[in-house]
Amino acid sequence: MARVASERGVSSISRSMSLSIGHTEQGTLLHHYTSVEKALSMLESGQIWLSPMSNVNDPKEFSDWELTYVPGINKISVREWDEISSAISKESKRISKISCFTEDVLTDHTSPINRYIDLGCIKRGFANSPMWHFYGENHTGCCLVFDKSKLIQEFESQTTEYTEFSNSVQYIDEKFPRNVGFEPYYFELDKVIEFGVNQYTKQFLNTRFKDLYFKKQSVWSYENEYRFYVQDDSNSPFKLNFGKALAYVCFGVECSDDDKKKIRVFAQSHGFSTQEIKFKNHTVQVVM
């Protein structure tokens, strides 16, 4: 197994960028919505956890696949075929671990003039109302905002001996289920028998994970998702130290004063800033 950077805790959290997030160039930040309780845990440890695909909320991704197979010198019954298909599916979801973020939707609504900062917030990753509702504890939580390039650098430096990948999710609706002879939903029977399900599953994933885990149905497109993927044998989440990648913590519109205070006290002692969004006559604004 590769070396995973040791737990660096709060000392790893960076000094924040001095610019307002409303004026930060679009596309340079990644946003992770969560509860205040979970955010404090992440800030204290200095870590982001990549969790197994079996824990995701999209049934397209957590459901077992129905895999066909490439015939070879070996023969199997229909029951054995189903068992192998299910075993590969479950093992794939166990060792495939991800962490999910929201990107900006690039628009023309940018302005360097502070008076019009609300225009600069349109479709920004930290102002995604559905994400605040579903992942930000119904607007009572917060959003951890990361420098995208720094976070990718940390990820790549800590996964040098793993199969890893990070990229935006594609939103595609397929009219018909892919079946016999179509990637990625088939396995090579002779190799399964030669190597065993667990070892073969790694080979199976190495050529398929982008197709399996970086494409979702268009109904999820509001998430504007960016994923970090790692293939890891352990039964624990993969713990990524985010180092100096943290830029801000942004509060939801229903975040309580007590919860804001908890984050702000932590922020003051560990060198990052906090901001919050508000809505004014259907526009989004940043409160410094």
Side-chain angles (χ1 to χ4, degrees), residues 225-272:
E225 187 175 349
Y226 189 96
R227 285 183 167 180
F228 289 84
Y229 169 89
V230 66
Q231 193 182 119
D232 174 27
D233 277 333
S234 75
N235 290 319
S236 302
F238 183 90
K239 298 177 181 179
L240 171 66
N241 293 296
F242 55 75
K244 297 181 179 180
L246 181 67
Y248 303 93
V249 175
C250 188
F251 302 122
V253 294
E254 296 292 331
C255 188
S256 70
D257 289 340
D258 286 344
D259 282 343
K260 289 177 186 177
K261 182 177 180 180
K262 292 175 186 177
I263 298 287
R264 282 174 173 151
V265 168
F266 197 93
Q268 289 171 0
S269 60
H270 294 95
F272 63 91

Side-chain angles (χ1 to χ4, degrees), residues 60-158:
K60 172 182 175 290
E61 297 185 312
F62 67 67
S63 298
D64 277 356
W65 304 311
E66 293 185 10
L67 304 175
T68 57
Y69 70 91
V70 178
I73 61 174
N74 295 282
K75 306 295 180 182
I76 54 173
S77 66
V78 172
R79 179 181 60 80
E80 291 171 322
W81 174 1
D82 289 340
E83 288 174 352
I84 292 173
S85 175
S86 179
I88 292 173
S89 182
K90 286 179 168 57
E91 179 66 2
S92 294
K93 292 168 176 57
R94 185 187 73 84
I95 67 175
S96 294
K97 298 172 182 178
I98 65 166
S99 188
C100 307
F101 298 80
T102 295
E103 294 188 277
D104 291 330
V105 176
L106 300 183
T107 72
D108 295 327
H109 298 289
T110 56
S111 171
I113 305 173
N114 193 61
R115 179 180 176 186
Y116 299 107
I117 192 170
D118 55 325
L119 296 180
C121 293
I122 293 176
K123 294 191 177 181
R124 298 304 302 269
F126 53 82
N128 187 320
S129 292
M131 294 298 289
W132 277 111
H133 175 73
F134 290 115
Y135 301 100
E137 295 290 293
N138 196 22
H139 304 274
T140 65
C142 58
C143 178
L144 275 62
V145 183
F146 295 91
D147 181 296
K148 181 177 180 179
S149 62
K150 290 180 180 178
L151 192 57
I152 292 173
Q153 185 177 10
E154 289 289 349
F155 177 66
E156 292 178 346
S157 70
Q158 295 172 50

